[in-house]
Amino acid sequence: MENIVKGDLFQNFLSSLDTAANMISCDPNVLTRLRQPRRVIMVSVPVRMEDYSVKVFTGYRVQYNATLGPYKGGMRYHQDVDASEVAGLAALMTFKNSLLNLPLGGAKGGVKVDPNLLSRTEKQNLTRRLTTELGPFIGPTKDIPAPDMGTDAQTMAWMMDTYSQESGFAQPGVVTGKPIEIGGSLGRNSSTGHGVIYITEQVCSRMDWKMSDTSIAIQGYGNVGSHAAHKATEFGCKVEAVSDVSGGIYRKGGLNIADVDKWIEENKTLAGYPEADSISNEELLELDVDILAPCALDGVINKSNMKKIKAKAVVEGANGPTTNEATEYLHENGIICVPDILANGGGVVVSYFEWVQDIGNYFWDEEAVNVNMKKVMTKAFSQVWDFAQERKVDMRTAAMAVATRRLERAMLLRGLYPR
Ligand code: NAD
C-alpha cells in the first residue's frame, strides 16, 4: 500500500484521522487498521471504440472498510484518477457514512479517462465492461457504486443492467443514483443541495439567527448549488449571490432565483444576467453575507483569501473547499465551518434510502425521503456540534472524531477474525 498513501488527499485524510483519534484516545490497533484500505482492486478495461479499435483503460475500486455494512461510494471517470486519489476518497466515504450513522462501509472507484472524449456508445461499452470486471466484488450486499464526477444516472442504469443481465434477474440494489424508472429514489437529485440548507438551518438555530434575516452566497450553480439556492429561498433566506464557471452575480437583498433559472435555461450560463451586478468567483467568497456555501470546487478557501472571508459561517457543499490551514484560521477567528462530510451528506443519505427501497421493493413518496433525510442530518449535526462545543475544537475535527468513535466501537465489538 506504500504508493497509495503518498497522495495529497490521502495524506490530508491521515492527518485529520490522527488528530481525531488522539482526541478520543482511539485504540492503537484500530487506528493502525483505519489508516489503510482493506482492498484495492485494479482492472484493465478493454473498450471497443467507434473506429472499431480497442483501447484499454485502467479502472480502480478501493474498498476501504466494511465494518458497518456493505461498501458504498461513487464511481468517477476523469483523466487524473489514480489509486491514491481513489483511496483517499474511499477513506472519506468510510468516515462520512459512519458520521451519518448509516449501516454502510466506504469505497470509491474510478477510471482514468477523459469522459468528454468518449462517444455515448464508447462510454456505454466502458461502463459495461468495467461492471463485468468488478462483478465479483460488487453487489447489493457487497459494494454499491453511485455516480460521481463524469458519471450520471445513465451510467448507473448501464451498470445496473449489466450486473442484472449477468445475474439473470433485475438487481436494482447494486447501484444508487439510478433513474426513477428502474428503481431510483424520488428526491435523490436535490438531496445534497437540500441537505446543505438543512444544516444551515441547524447552524442558525444554534446561533439564534433567524433564517428569514439570513443572507447567503453560493459558489457553484450546478446540482448542489442550484438546489441549495431553491431550498434557501423556501426558508426565506436572502440568496444574494450565486456563480458558475462563467463568474458570479450579486444583488443585495436577494436574487430572484426563479428568474435566474429562466435566464440559465435560455442562456446556459449566468454571464450577462441583467438583474444583478457581475462579480468574480473570488469576490463571491469575500462577500459580507451571513452564510457562505462553496458548492463547486475544492481548495477555494485557502491561505491566500482566508483573511478576507467575512461570512459568519461556511457550509461546505463541495468536497474539500476549505484547506486545513484555512479551517484552522476560520475557527480561531470565530467563523463556523461545517465540514463537507457533514454538510454535503444529504446525497449519500438518500442513496442509502434508495438502496433500502430497492432491496425492500417498496418505494417512498418524496416527502418521506425528505423528512427522513432531514432527521438523519440533524442528528449527525447535533453530535458534531456538541462535541465541538465540549472539546472546543473546529467542526471538521469534531466530525472526524464522532465518525472515528463509531467505527472504533464497531471494530472492537466485531473483533479480529481469523486471528
Ligand atoms: P455540477 O457539475 O452539477 O456543478 C458544478 C458547478 O460549479 C457548476 O455551476 C459549474 O459551472 C461550477 N464551476 C465549475 N468550474 C468552476 C470554477 N472554476 N469556478 C467556479 N465555479 C465553477 O457539480 P455538483 O454535483 O453540483 O458538485 C459540486 C461539488 O459538490 C463537487 O465538489 C462535488 O464533489 C460535491 N458533491 C456533490 C454531490 C452531489 O450529490 N451532486 C454530493 C456530495 C458532494
Side-chain angles (χ1 to χ4, degrees), residues 6 12 55 59 88 93 99 141 192 220 329 343 354 359 374 400:
K6 276 188 190 149
N12 255 346
K55 268 196 184 158
M93 279 310 298
L99 173 65
T141 56
T192 306
Y329 178 85
E354 179 177 333
I359 57 180
K374 190 170 177 177
M400 274 304 281

Side-chain angles (χ1 to χ4, degrees), residues 55-72:
K55 268 196 184 158
V56 183
F57 297 93
T58 305
Y60 303 92
R61 186 77 183 163
V62 175
Q63 299 182 327
Y64 202 86
N65 186 296
T67 304
L68 300 173
Y71 300 104
K72 179 98 194 77

Side-chain angles (χ1 to χ4, degrees), residues 76 96 188 192 219-225 243-245 281 295-297 317-319 344 347:
R76 170 174 292 197
K96 184 188 258 192
R188 171 65 185 89
T192 306
Q219 185 180 55
Y221 202 69
N223 180 292
V224 180
S243 69
D244 63 14
V245 68
N281 264 294
C295 298
L297 304 172
N319 283 321
N344 71 25

Side-chain angles (χ1 to χ4, degrees), residues 203-205 207-211 214 290-291 312-313 336:
V203 173
C204 290
S205 140
M207 297 304 292
D208 248 339
W209 301 337
K210 234 170 120 189
M211 282 289 266
T214 303
D290 298 311
I291 309 284
K312 292 190 264 182
I336 299 160

Side-chain angles (χ1 to χ4, degrees), residues 128-401:
R128 289 188 181 279
R129 183 60 191 245
L130 174 71
T131 309
T132 304
E133 294 298 337
L134 293 179
F137 302 99
I138 61 172
T141 56
K142 288 191 207 167
D143 183 352
I144 307 132
D148 195 79
M149 267 162 69
T151 57
D152 56 14
Q154 177 62 73
T155 322
M156 293 305 111
W158 290 326
M159 286 195 94
M160 177 268 187
D161 183 66
T162 308
Y163 189 83
S164 298
Q165 294 295 348
E166 290 178 358
S167 314
F169 55 100
Q171 297 246 39
V174 66
V175 290
T176 60
K178 299 177 294 293
I180 303 286
E181 295 81 347
I182 54 168
S185 178
L186 292 170
R188 171 65 185 89
N189 258 349
S190 54
S191 55
T192 306
H194 287 183
V196 168
I197 300 305
Y198 294 149
I199 291 293
T200 304
E201 186 191 13
Q202 291 305 309
V203 173
C204 290
S205 140
R206 297 290 183 137
M207 297 304 292
D208 248 339
W209 301 337
K210 234 170 120 189
M211 282 289 266
S212 53
D213 291 340
T214 303
S215 56
I216 178 164
I218 301 174
Q219 185 180 55
Y221 202 69
N223 180 292
V224 180
S226 65
H227 286 112
H230 281 266
K231 193 44 102 183
T233 309
E234 269 177 41
F235 273 98
C237 295
K238 294 184 276 287
V239 181
E240 294 196 332
V242 296
S243 69
D244 63 14
V245 68
S246 73
I249 55 173
Y250 170 66
R251 183 155 180 255
K252 182 121 192 97
L255 296 158
N256 179 337
I257 291 300
D259 194 47
V260 171
D261 281 347
K262 206 165 146 246
W263 176 266
I264 294 219
E265 209 180 301
E266 285 160 13
N267 300 278
K268 303 285 178 258
T269 71
L270 291 165
Y273 179 69
E275 305 299 330
D277 299 331
S278 295
I279 54 170
S280 67
N281 264 294
E282 292 71 34
E283 286 168 331
L284 180 142
L285 297 171
E286 296 163 15
L287 286 173
D288 189 6
V289 287
D290 298 311
I291 309 284
L292 174 61
C295 298
L297 304 172
D298 61 345
V300 290
I301 304 175
N302 51 44
K303 193 179 175 174
S304 72
N305 64 356
M306 63 192 186
K307 294 188 178 154
K308 297 184 200 150
I309 303 297
K310 298 184 197 71
K312 292 190 264 182
V314 175
V315 182
E316 295 186 334
N319 283 321
T322 316
T323 62
N324 284 352
E325 190 178 1
T327 301
E328 221 169 275
Y329 178 85
L330 297 182
H331 177 64
E332 278 164 11
N333 287 277
I335 299 174
I336 299 160
C337 182
V338 189
D340 46 8
I341 62 167
L342 174 59
N344 71 25
V348 73
V349 172
V350 177
S351 264
Y352 162 61
F353 294 161
E354 179 177 333
W355 176 69
V356 167
Q357 293 170 77
D358 289 335
I359 57 180
N361 282 310
Y362 182 77
F363 288 84
W364 313 352
D365 61 30
E366 195 160 351
E367 197 195 339
V369 172
N370 286 332
V371 167
N372 283 294
M373 186 258 277
K374 190 170 177 177
K375 227 187 259 176
V376 173
M377 301 286 286
T378 306
K379 187 173 166 203
F381 178 89
S382 294
Q383 289 177 336
V384 174
W385 182 271
D386 294 346
F387 189 100
Q389 297 294 313
E390 275 164 30
R391 308 293 282 268
K392 303 206 175 346
V393 292
D394 64 88
M395 289 190 78
R396 193 181 311 283
T397 305
M400 274 304 281

